[in-house]
Amino acid sequence: MKDPLPLNPQALDLDEPAGGLSSYPPSDRWDDWTEYDATQWPKKVEKHYSLIPTICFNCEAACGLLAYVDKDKMRVQKFEGNPAHPGSRGRNCAKGPATLNQINDPERILYPLRRTGKRGEGKWERVTWNEVLDDVASRIRLALQEGRKNEIMYHVGRPGHELIYNQRVLHAWGIDGHNSHTNVCSAGARTGYAFWHGFDRPSPDHSNARFILLLSSHLEAGHYFNPHAQRIIDGKMDGAKVCVIDTRLSNTASKADYWLSTWPGSESALLLAMANILLQENLFDREFVRLWVNWEEYLREEHSSKPQTFETFLEVLKQTYAKYTPEFAAKESGADADTIVEVAREVGRAGSRLSTHVWRNAAAGNLGGWQVARALEFLAVLVGAVGTPGGTSPSAWNKYIPTPPMMPPPPNAWNELMWAREYPLAFFEMSYLLPHFLKEGRGKLAVYFSRVYNPVWTNPDGLSWIEALTDESKVGRHVCLTPTWSETAWFADYVLPMGHASERHDLMSQETHAARWIGFRQPVLRLALEKQGKKFNFTYEAHREAGLGEVWEEDEFWIELSWRVDPDGSMGIRRYFESPYRPGEKIRIDEYYRWIFENSVPGLPQAAANEGLNPLDYMRKYGAFLVENNVYELHRKVLKPEELQGSTVDPVTHVVKKNGASIGIQIDGNPVAGFPTPSRKLEFYSKTLKDWHWPEHSIPGYIKSHVHRDNIDAAKGEMLLLPTFRLPTLIHTRSGNAKWLYEISHKNPVWMHHEDAERLGVVTGDLVRVQTAIGYFIDRVWATEGMRPGVIACSHHLGRWRLKEDFGGERWSTALVDLKQTEPGKWMMRTIHGIQPFDSDDPDSSRIHWEDAGVHQNLTFPVQPDPISGQHCWHQKVTVSKARTEDRYGDVFVDTNRAHEEYRRWLQMSRAAPGPGNLRRPLWMIRVYRPAPEAFYLPVK
């Protein structure tokens, strides 16, 4: 990247500092950083801070933070960026500094609470941690001893932790108990990528790209958007062009060189038309495709009568995609045919420096959305932009997950409440179907943990979740681990306060650019107090010392709980929670991370020694470590002689195998690593899809969405609702306790094109009724040219609510509502009042000037599982009309009986296991918290 001019032109007249510019603030001054107290101006009164690094938790990007801890008051004064963090490089979005609001939130939960009335009645009592731990541990112990392993479930949204920590816990218990949010988030895109190269996410090298193709709003709110946004701008400043494919005129689209506003669900048709242009005009990398695509397998399986040559493959390829003309794509998508051709040629000119990205967007919205990611990656494969500088790598190449101590073996267990037989290729757990599975009697839960997850609010069909969570015959004990009240916590049995971003330990690593790094989240007040010579056995003790009640950190909670599940070690659990340094004694949190940093992070011990530090102290000082930079083309890595010893090479596929497992592939006679797919190549052709009952989708293709134009009858007032877009300042359910963020963003109106508004006879600010398959919601209109006619959009980040006036929801962000079941299965929600000023220890709570809390649209969405990826297909066919006389802003009506009927209708689209060999799921595919191999096989009848 060229050196940019300074923002202030007068800086050009300044002398360059000796040694050039440096990171700020310099790390050698973090132990005693001095600033003037702004409240004492114009006096120059010094304040001394200890600057302690940690990791932000207000999205998934894991950006670095520096906590400025006032040495006198032992309080965090502010959070700024950590310049030592390789991913975020000292820069943060608005959500990072707002961590200060969250830790100082006057409504946060500080002590463990137990329900005393009926679930959802709102009656609670304070209890001790010992009472909680003993009760929950006894229930888990009994379930394990009675062989009810599948009745224990840990349901987590964004853990803020590499999955391997809780994998240790659940596998030590011998259960398949991890449930996640991923099938309401990103499973569609993950599936499309995985069928290509075995990895489930893209890692674009935007800084070095010539052309950047985004199906996202990455400059404001996309996945890893702060680190990626920085690097997109780096690329643009170096001459790269940007194309955004997005129905909505996002901020990112407004800054792009090309904006293609497509009809939702048509994106793969558009991308395949671009692929057709590349093929017909020979703008593709022939040699890369010859070497790295599994074209030989495709010809053997599907065109065995034709000559088995690369030229035959190219001929078949061109014939297959010839139907995807620019005119066809224009008809399907609404984009201009000439622009489609122009963008395709830009892709071809970029060659190996094409960076691409899709995460949610079209892949999460549509039936068959996984094919959007498959089609996007097809472009990268054709131009040879896989793993190259300026290209797009598989995610795992740019992540580093250290091995922890004492990993238990995977259990011989499979939980069909999450991994249902109907969805054998689902990329993650079918978590959002849990209420329906419970309703059908597929199982029950003895202990259900929810953590950083709010399924009542976040998931579709949230009222079915309320029905399940209030039924004690289905959910025996609900333990909600949370620092704040939420719509889901209200229906728990225990509400247990866990620490925010700066109040706990864990490790993060994300694919922000072409490198591998780890970030260390740590409890900053505990460290600040320990620097003063105080010692603590648990983080909650430090929090109590600092006036934070008894807020635990999750890592220590799981250690203590596991120890109590198996107090004498007879169940074989306790040994995995014993110290590697003090045999037989309970592991301390610093010992856990000490072992990892000493044994599992290449280069870290030496880097620490160079500064006279041990590895743990190095990470405590800097909060991050760059493991490896400039990581490219790992598929070309030559296998070492010791790796090849005892291996064999398949004479047909050229796959290199050792001890029954594939370890690489011979490419032109050279044994290299390749990709973790069955062919060890990029799989244009997926025999897996053919073998698992989906032969029609074995190559990249176009699946007409459930909201295709043909399914929308405009004459009946039907439209397409796009409910998936983020707001730059909010993050799902986690930012409701951040006053600065909600002051900025607190409305989610219905975006509507002026033509549609005129047709309906409404203007900006008018109320409309949006009718879904199971109910309706009432919201205000925002008429705009930034939407495609026939499509409306509403952000999913707003619409928080509570059921009691004074507690049960963050009053910065929630409306008080009345929620009633008018008859079995029929629910009505009405807003009593919006956000109002309230009295608290924070004077700002009395200064609240906003009232709108938004509308909770997700309640009205039925579950719509994609039969292959398992992704919930978010886009909705709706009927939009003027609000009726009796309608009020924020009204929501839902019929959960109808919701269950919709679940059954979508279930009929699935094609169930078994697959080959009586398997539940292909053995080669990624499976989070992977159980033992024998668990993959269905029982023999």
Side-chain angles (χ1 to χ4, degrees):
M1 185 183 73
K2 300 180 181 71
D3 291 335
L5 291 175
L7 294 177
N8 188 335
Q10 292 182 358
L12 293 171
D13 299 327
L14 299 176
D15 294 331
E16 183 175 335
L21 295 176
S22 62
S23 296
Y24 183 86
S27 59
D28 59 356
R29 294 169 58 191
W30 287 2
D31 281 340
D32 187 20
W33 180 255
T34 303
E35 291 185 354
Y36 291 127
D37 185 348
T39 64
Q40 299 295 317
W41 188 87
K43 297 177 182 178
K44 293 184 176 181
V45 178
E46 289 187 350
K47 295 193 77 171
H48 292 263
Y49 299 99
S50 178
L51 273 52
I52 301 175
T54 190
I55 300 292
C56 184
F57 190 48
N58 279 329
C59 86
E60 60 274 27
C63 297
L65 293 177
L66 279 183
Y68 286 63
V69 181
D70 187 314
K71 288 187 168 186
D72 294 326
K73 297 179 180 179
M74 274 296 118
R75 290 178 58 85
V76 179
Q77 179 70 22
K78 62 180 177 180
F79 289 95
E80 293 190 348
N82 178 3
H85 191 289
S88 54
R89 305 186 291 190
R91 309 169 198 174
N92 295 108
C93 73
K95 297 193 288 290
T99 301
L100 187 68
N101 298 161
Q102 297 170 313
I103 65 170
N104 293 329
D105 172 25
E107 298 196 296
R108 66 178 299 179
I109 301 164
L110 297 176
Y111 299 95
L113 301 173
R114 179 170 59 198
R115 170 178 63 90
T116 59
K118 294 180 180 179
R119 283 191 190 153
E121 193 175 1
K123 295 181 178 179
W124 304 89
E125 64 178 355
R126 178 176 163 183
V127 291
T128 68
W129 277 103
N130 278 329
E131 289 178 278
V132 173
L133 289 162
D134 286 342
D135 177 39
V136 176
S138 67
R139 291 170 181 271
I140 293 171
R141 185 188 316 115
L142 184 62
L144 295 178
Q145 290 172 339
E146 293 181 350
R148 296 182 285 113
K149 292 182 176 182
N150 286 348
E151 292 187 16
I152 305 165
M153 184 180 293
Y154 170 62
H155 201 167
V156 64
R158 181 66 60 179
H161 209 316
E162 289 305 342
L163 296 176
I164 205 162
Y165 185 90
N166 277 100
Q167 179 177 316
R168 285 183 69 254
V169 176
L170 301 185
H171 282 189
W173 295 357
I175 68 171
D176 183 27
H178 175 268
N179 208 348
S180 75
H181 79 298
T182 308
N183 267 336
V184 299
C185 179
S186 55
R190 290 174 186 259
T191 302
Y193 284 112
F195 280 133
W196 266 111
H197 50 51
F199 300 100
D200 68 338
R201 281 168 288 180
S203 180
D205 186 25
H206 293 310
S207 294
N208 297 304
R210 287 197 187 101
F211 195 72
I212 299 170
L213 180 56
L214 303 173
L215 277 76
S216 64
S217 52
H218 250 59
L219 288 182
E220 73 227 60
H223 199 60
Y224 311 147
F225 89 90
N226 168 39
H228 277 186
Q230 294 180 35
R231 291 167 174 87
I232 291 169
I233 296 302
D234 288 348
K236 276 188 68 71
M237 292 177 70
D238 213 18
K241 291 184 178 180
V242 176
C243 174
V244 173
I245 300 173
D246 194 343
T247 307
R248 183 179 64 94
L249 181 61
S250 64
N251 292 348
T252 306
S254 73
K255 300 296 184 182
D257 298 280
Y258 300 94
W259 172 42
L260 299 178
S261 176
T262 51
W263 183 269
S266 67
E267 292 84 359
S268 54
L270 182 146
L271 295 167
L272 293 175
M274 293 181 185
N276 181 35
I277 296 296
L278 296 177
L279 290 166
Q280 301 302 333
E281 298 186 7
N282 291 312
L283 297 175
F284 62 97
D285 187 331
R286 290 172 58 97
E287 187 64 1
F288 181 86
V289 173
R290 182 187 73 81
L291 291 176
W292 294 107
V293 172
N294 68 333
W295 60 268
E296 293 127 317
E297 182 180 23
Y298 175 57
L299 292 181
R300 283 196 307 271
E301 292 288 331
E302 302 296 331
H303 299 279
S304 58
S305 62
K306 296 181 179 179
Q308 302 291 290
T309 66
F310 183 60
E311 294 304 321
T312 300
F313 171 68
L314 293 182
E315 180 183 335
V316 170
L317 198 62
K318 291 181 179 182
Q319 292 172 353
T320 300
Y321 290 98
K323 63 184 178 182
Y324 293 103
T325 62
E327 292 73 25
F328 169 79
K331 179 176 180 293
E332 288 295 292
S333 69
D336 177 69
D338 290 340
T339 305
I340 294 171
V341 173
E342 186 175 347
V343 171
R345 289 171 178 164
E346 292 275 16
V347 168
R349 284 191 288 271
S352 64
R353 289 175 63 184
L354 166 73
S355 68
T356 64
H357 200 276
V358 63
W359 192 240
R360 299 187 71 226
N361 194 282
N366 298 286
L367 177 68
W370 59 276
Q371 280 280 34
V372 176
R374 195 125 156 78
L376 181 63
E377 185 69 4
F378 191 20
L379 297 181
V381 171
L382 284 174
V383 297
V386 179
T388 53
T392 305
S393 295
S395 57
W397 293 5
N398 299 147
K399 284 175 66 76
Y400 188 77
I401 302 177
T403 302
M406 303 169 293
M407 278 296 290
N412 182 11
W414 192 282
N415 195 333
E416 292 193 359
L417 281 177
M418 299 177 296
W419 300 93
R421 297 187 189 191
E422 291 92 338
Y423 300 97
L425 302 179
F427 213 75
F428 268 75
E429 307 90 346
M430 300 302 297
S431 61
Y432 58 97
L433 299 186
L434 181 60
H436 297 283
F437 289 166
L438 293 173
K439 188 172 185 175
E440 291 179 330
R442 297 192 185 202
K444 61 181 181 178
L445 298 175
V447 180
Y448 173 72
F449 295 97
S450 57
R451 169 68 176 134
V452 200
Y453 198 43
N454 187 4
V456 168
W457 184 81
T458 303
N459 281 3
D461 190 18
L463 288 160
S464 289
W465 278 88
I466 289 179
E467 291 178 354
L469 292 176
T470 52
D471 187 341
E472 294 187 45
S473 70
K474 294 182 173 67
V475 181
R477 186 64 95 229
H478 177 191
V479 182
C480 187
L481 310 175
T482 175
T484 60
W485 285 105
S486 71
E487 291 81 352
T488 299
W490 192 251
F491 298 96
D493 299 302
Y494 286 115
V495 177
L496 306 182
M498 295 288 151
H500 284 296
S502 61
E503 298 168 346
R504 66 182 208 261
H505 291 90
D506 40 64
L507 282 177
M508 292 298 299
S509 180
Q510 301 291 22
E511 60 276 16
T512 55
H513 61 296
R516 289 172 168 171
W517 55 265
I518 58 170
F520 190 29
R521 185 178 283 117
Q522 46 187 348
V524 300
L525 291 178
R526 176 176 178 171
L527 265 67
L529 288 165
E530 288 179 339
K531 286 184 177 184
Q532 293 185 345
K534 298 180 180 179
K535 297 296 180 184
F536 307 99
N537 292 317
F538 295 94
T539 297
Y540 85 87
E541 296 170 345
H543 290 157
R544 186 166 56 196
E545 174 84 11
L548 274 180
E550 294 179 357
V551 175
W552 275 54
E553 65 163 292
E554 193 179 356
D555 282 12
E556 292 179 337
F557 172 81
W558 294 115
I559 294 169
E560 187 64 25
L561 181 62
S562 299
W563 196 267
R564 298 192 189 203
V565 169
D566 184 18
D568 60 5
S570 62
M571 300 174 70
I573 294 172
R574 201 179 88 168
R575 58 187 168 136
Y576 296 109
F577 302 92
E578 294 178 354
S579 169
Y581 303 101
R582 299 173 296 111
E585 297 186 51
K586 189 187 304 178
I587 191 171
R588 295 174 183 149
I589 201 65
D590 60 337
E591 294 176 325
Y592 177 81
Y593 289 103
R594 172 190 165 189
W595 191 96
I596 288 176
F597 297 148
E598 288 176 350
N599 297 279
S600 296
V601 184
L604 176 55
Q606 186 58 52
N610 291 344
E611 297 201 18
L613 300 171
N614 64 53
L616 176 60
D617 286 343
Y618 181 97
M619 291 302 293
R620 291 222 182 274
K621 178 178 179 180
Y622 292 106
F625 179 70
L626 181 63
V627 178
E628 185 178 6
N629 204 7
N630 298 318
V631 180
Y632 298 108
E633 298 189 307
L634 296 187
H635 58 295
R636 298 181 185 271
K637 182 181 177 182
V638 177
L639 298 177
K640 298 176 182 178
E642 56 269 26
E643 294 175 298
L644 291 169
Q645 189 173 3
S647 66
T648 59
V649 179
D650 187 290
V652 176
T653 65
H654 310 296
V655 170
V656 182
K657 290 192 173 184
K658 183 176 181 179
N659 299 325
S662 65
I663 62 169
I665 187 168
Q666 277 196 348
I667 298 293
D668 286 349
N670 299 311
V672 294
F675 299 89
T677 60
S679 66
R680 301 298 294 196
K681 289 190 173 185
L682 294 164
E683 297 209 338
F684 163 79
Y685 171 72
S686 173
K687 192 168 186 300
T688 299
L689 281 163
K690 180 179 180 180
D691 289 345
W692 288 78
H693 322 308
W694 297 98
E696 68 271 35
H697 300 313
S698 60
I699 64 173
Y702 173 41
I703 299 173
K704 286 190 174 182
S705 173
H706 63 298
V707 288
H708 187 272
R709 289 176 187 270
D710 293 347
N711 300 329
I712 305 290
D713 189 343
K716 295 181 179 179
E718 292 179 353
M719 300 182 75
L720 189 160
L721 169 60
L722 187 158
T724 52
F725 72 91
R726 293 178 171 183
L727 298 177
T729 50
L730 301 181
I731 180 67
H732 306 311
T733 192
R734 265 176 282 167
S735 46
N737 55 349
K739 62 185 179 183
W740 294 341
L741 301 181
Y742 260 81
E743 184 176 23
I744 297 169
S745 304
H746 45 263
K747 300 177 182 179
N748 61 338
V750 171
W751 292 38
M752 183 181 292
H753 192 273
H754 284 291
E755 291 178 6
D756 293 318
E758 185 176 344
R759 173 176 55 82
L760 289 170
V762 295
V763 297
T764 294
D766 285 352
L767 294 178
V768 289
R769 176 183 282 220
V770 181
Q771 182 90 36
T772 70
I774 66 170
Y776 65 82
F777 65 92
I778 309 299
D779 201 352
R780 294 190 179 95
V781 169
W782 183 49
T784 174
E785 297 294 326
M787 278 302 299
R788 171 164 289 284
V791 182
I792 60 174
C794 185
S795 172
H796 66 281
H797 272 162
L798 278 303
R800 302 298 303 276
W801 48 268
R802 67 184 189 278
L803 296 172
K804 293 283 187 181
E805 180 68 67
D806 296 333
F807 76 107
E810 289 289 333
R811 284 180 283 177
W812 305 104
S813 57
T814 60
L816 179 67
V817 304
D818 177 49
L819 177 63
K820 292 180 179 177
Q821 190 168 190
T822 57
E823 56 183 277
K826 294 187 177 180
W827 294 81
M828 183 71 196
M829 178 183 288
R830 172 151 288 180
T831 299
I832 298 172
H833 65 70
I835 300 170
Q836 295 180 341
F838 62 95
D839 293 329
S840 77
D841 293 336
D842 185 342
D844 282 348
S845 68
S846 64
R847 302 174 182 134
I848 291 175
H849 58 84
W850 61 95
E851 181 180 356
D852 203 335
V855 180
H856 190 187
Q857 59 175 336
N858 291 11
L859 285 174
T860 69
F861 300 162
V863 295
Q864 299 179 157
D866 182 272
I868 293 178
S869 69
Q871 169 76 51
H872 170 63
C873 305
W874 278 102
H875 294 344
Q876 305 287 318
K877 181 172 79 171
V878 298
T879 302
V880 184
S881 60
K882 277 187 175 181
R884 301 175 186 177
T885 304
E886 68 271 18
D887 291 338
R888 299 290 181 271
Y889 176 70
D891 280 359
V892 173
F893 172 78
V894 173
D895 184 341
T896 56
N897 298 314
R898 183 78 182 105
H900 193 67
E901 292 172 8
E902 283 293 299
Y903 152 76
R904 295 295 303 174
R905 184 173 73 85
W906 279 75
L907 186 67
Q908 297 307 309
M909 302 181 195
S910 65
R911 300 177 189 176
N918 206 39
L919 281 165
R920 299 175 181 271
R921 176 183 182 82
L923 283 166
W924 74 268
M925 284 185 71
I926 294 172
R927 159 67 155 87
V928 68
Y929 286 49
R930 191 178 185 89
E934 53 268 31
F936 279 73
Y937 294 86
L938 284 165
V940 177
K941 294 182 179 179

